[in-house]
Amino acid sequence: MRVWIVFLLCLAGHAMAAPTEEVLVTEEELVTEEELVTEEPIFEEETEVGVNPVQVDVGEFDEAIEVIEDAEENPCMNYHCKRGKVCEVDEDNTPMCVCQDPSTCPPAEGDFEHNCGTDNKTYETACHFFATKCTLEGTKKGHKLHLDYIGPCKYIEPCLDNELKEFPMRMRDWLKNVLVTLYERDQDNDLLNEKQKLRVKKIYENEKRLQAGEHSLDLLAQDFQKNYNMYIFPVHWQFGQLDQHPADGYLTHSELSPLRAPLIPMEHCTTRFFDECDTDGDKYVALEEWAACFGLKEQDVDKDLII
Ligand SMILES: [Ca+2]
Ligand SMILES: [Ca+2]
């Protein structure tokens, strides 16, 4: 998750330009639909304050203390429900997850909390979105409903063919810069694991590397030809970051969401790009499809690079 925070810091500054820290995005906003994938309730060792909406709903401070004192007797306390659901106990005091009533979601503190669904409706917050999706569970409409992007729904201009071609050029350059930035900042944090660091070190130390900045498409294209090898790992790395639920070599809509959702309002080719990446149209973006989308040669697709 930490990597995503840095990631979105980068995103929020300038879409796919040099990483900056201009806008803070909270973890709560890093809406992934990952928890939608998890159908079974998950028991957690530690209680994450605020995760259980029952806790969030406690209004008065005094009552809050009371709830915490009763924690051991509250079967819902360590019972985690996926987004859109809350824990309730039945007559036998057994906890279970039920759909949250959207009207119990805390109101948005600003437009930045709004989310646009694939039904082109603006949801006040991610909580409202997931609660609504839950109520549609089992229906065709519910199955089709995904979180499309962060922010209120707006007109997104169509992506033209020539613009679509530019998108991966800028994105792979940006991915490389994100990795280099993570590497530079890695002194005190474990933003990258040791294997990843070794890979990025080579890119970082390569003097021929195109430095982060606003570059013309011609220069980006030239650099991709000249320094092709530097782009292989970043493209794989991004895939590995997204392919987590489960890590099976295929990206679902939900897995792509952390990348798509903040990007769509800023980059109007995002949706078309990811749709067309799925060349066989099976709704999943396989590693091979992903790599091809970014211009990698077939022989350079290597699942062992996802480290
Ligand atoms: Ca997957
Ligand atoms: Ca596919």
Side-chain angles (χ1 to χ4, degrees), residues 25 29 51 92 273:
V25 179
E29 285 170 66
V51 163
D92 306 324
F273 176 73

Side-chain angles (χ1 to χ4, degrees), residues 237-254:
W237 171 79
Q238 176 64 92
F239 187 91
Q241 292 294 306
L242 298 170
D243 184 25
Q244 308 260 346
H245 306 282
D248 55 1
Y250 295 91
L251 300 179
T252 60
H253 193 286
S254 301

Side-chain angles (χ1 to χ4, degrees), residues 18-37:
T20 62
E21 286 188 57
E22 286 175 16
V23 182
L24 277 170
V25 179
T26 65
E27 194 156 335
E28 195 52 38
E29 285 170 66
L30 303 185
V31 179
T32 73
E33 291 180 65
E34 66 200 36
E35 287 167 78
L36 287 172
V37 178

Side-chain angles (χ1 to χ4, degrees), residues 278 280 282 284 289:
D278 173 24
D280 66 2
D282 67 351
Y284 300 96
E289 291 174 322

Side-chain angles (χ1 to χ4, degrees), residues 120-184:
N120 208 25
K121 277 190 192 150
T122 299
Y123 292 84
E124 192 177 345
T125 64
C127 172
H128 290 84
F129 172 81
F130 286 107
T132 306
K133 177 157 168 104
C134 184
T135 61
L136 295 169
E137 219 165 62
T139 66
K140 205 174 165 190
K141 203 174 160 194
H143 185 68
K144 276 192 182 162
L145 180 62
H146 295 284
L147 194 151
D148 201 10
Y149 53 91
I150 292 172
C153 296
K154 61 176 191 178
Y155 173 72
I156 293 178
E157 55 187 294
C159 168
L160 306 174
D161 290 350
N162 61 324
E163 294 171 325
L164 187 66
K165 273 188 214 142
E166 297 168 5
F167 187 89
M169 294 164 79
R170 288 184 290 119
M171 186 144 175
R172 67 194 170 208
D173 181 60
W174 172 74
L175 285 175
K176 179 169 60 80
N177 294 334
V178 167
L179 271 181
V180 168
T181 305
L182 291 179
Y183 181 81
E184 285 172 335

Side-chain angles (χ1 to χ4, degrees), residues 198-221:
L198 278 176
R199 292 273 172 185
V200 184
K201 189 167 183 263
K202 282 190 197 160
I203 303 172
Y204 177 72
E205 289 175 351
N206 193 326
E207 286 170 6
K208 292 182 195 145
R209 172 167 59 89
L210 184 65
Q211 299 297 316
E214 296 277 341
H215 300 301
S216 70
L217 294 168
D218 282 347
L219 186 59
L220 291 178

